[in-house]
Amino acid sequence: NAGVTQTPKFQVLKTGQSMTLQCAQDMNHNSMYWYRQDPGMGLRLIYYSASEGTTDKGEVPNGYNVSRLNKREFSLRLESAAPSQTSVYFCASSGSLSRTETQYFGPGTRLLVL
Amino acid sequence: EDKVVQSPLSLVVHEGDTVTLNCSYEVTNFRSLLWYKQEKKAPTFLFMLTSSGIEKKSGRLSSILDKKELFSILNITATQTGDSAVYLCAVERGSNYKLTFGKGTLLTVNP
């Protein structure tokens, strides 16, 4: 039982490049989330998916797109990376949107945009 | 705009000390307040508080919520080096279940 897995663990991009961060969970959770965490900051919600087939914007969605591929997988895409997107990205999942206390986090992807 | 403020931002103590971490909030349609511990990587869940005045305990950690004064405290007694981490407070809105996080308190416990 791996929980929430994220790939890659670390990535360096040049400004303007695109990439997709992958996230998968094996807990049969309905809801999934993408957060970013900048130095000295708490986590900020980028996008979330309440259930398979739905996605919604969070607090800081600009510059990102998401896809809920199936119940297990939720990907985050940067179409044209900018230095301001240098951050650590966490994926999380929970049993349902209202079961916040069950929100489990993945190990994070550290992204550096030059 | 929802706001969560944690204090202090960092704290250095010696093993065996007791620490109190603070979290104050302003949020529309409050549903719950959550505490997380973040070591090197992912945050891990500690407590969820929904009712005022009811203490949640887990070993040496305890937390309480004051919904009238809009704050929560996290206490750690007899601290150990393994308690060194960033402690995050987050508040959940009832309308959409979204979490707003504070910046965290970096706790360093020295032997």
Side-chain angles (χ1 to χ4, degrees), chain A residues 8-85:
Chain A
K9 288 192 171 77
F10 179 68
Q11 183 74 44
V12 180
L13 290 179
K14 292 182 181 172
T15 297
Q17 286 185 318
S18 62
M19 81 160 292
T20 299
L21 282 64
Q22 306 286 355
C23 173
Q25 52 91 10
D26 62 3
M27 295 175 283
N28 200 33
H29 281 170
N30 287 307
S31 303
M32 297 185 75
Y33 314 81
W34 277 106
Y35 292 91
R36 62 176 286 174
Q37 185 176 34
D38 301 306
M41 301 285 286
L43 282 77
R44 290 184 292 170
L45 183 64
I46 305 171
Y47 270 93
Y48 67 102
S49 169
S51 59
E52 188 178 354
T54 69
T55 60
D56 279 294
K57 293 178 182 179
E59 190 184 341
V60 288
N62 291 344
Y64 305 95
N65 284 303
V66 289
S67 295
R68 183 75 184 265
L69 304 166
N70 48 56
K71 191 171 185 179
R72 288 188 64 246
E73 297 170 290
F74 189 38
S75 62
L76 179 72
R77 183 157 178 86
L78 288 71
E79 289 292 349
S80 178
S84 61
Q85 293 178 304

Side-chain angles (χ1 to χ4, degrees), chain B residues 89-102:
Chain B
C89 169
V91 174
E92 183 190 18
R93 271 197 183 197
S95 52
N96 57 20
Y97 309 108
K98 288 184 194 173
L99 293 177
T100 300
F101 283 81

Side-chain angles (χ1 to χ4, degrees), chain A residues 9 35 37 40-45 48 57-59 90 97-101 103 105-108 110, chain B residues 1 9 31-32 34 36 38 40-45 48 86 88 92 96-104:
Chain A
K9 288 192 171 77
Y35 292 91
Q37 185 176 34
M41 301 285 286
L43 282 77
R44 290 184 292 170
L45 183 64
Y48 67 102
K57 293 178 182 179
E59 190 184 341
F90 289 100
L97 209 55
S98 62
R99 295 288 313 282
T100 322
E101 71 278 15
Q103 201 168 128
F105 288 83
R110 191 173 294 271
Chain B
E1 186 184 321
L9 289 180
R31 179 173 183 256
S32 69
L34 296 93
Y36 292 86
Q38 184 175 26
K40 295 291 183 193
K41 294 185 175 179
T44 53
F45 171 77
M48 181 182 192
V86 173
L88 295 167
E92 183 190 18
N96 57 20
Y97 309 108
K98 288 184 194 173
L99 293 177
T100 300
F101 283 81
K103 292 183 180 182

Side-chain angles (χ1 to χ4, degrees), chain B residues 2 5-7 10 37 41 50-53 67-68 75-76 87 89 92 101 103-104 107 109 111:
Chain B
D2 297 345
V5 178
Q6 291 187 245
S7 63
S10 67
K37 179 182 182 181
K41 294 185 175 179
T50 54
S51 301
S52 211
K67 286 169 78 171
K68 185 179 171 197
N75 276 322
I76 309 175
Y87 290 84
C89 169
E92 183 190 18
F101 283 81
K103 292 183 180 182
L107 174 65
V109 182

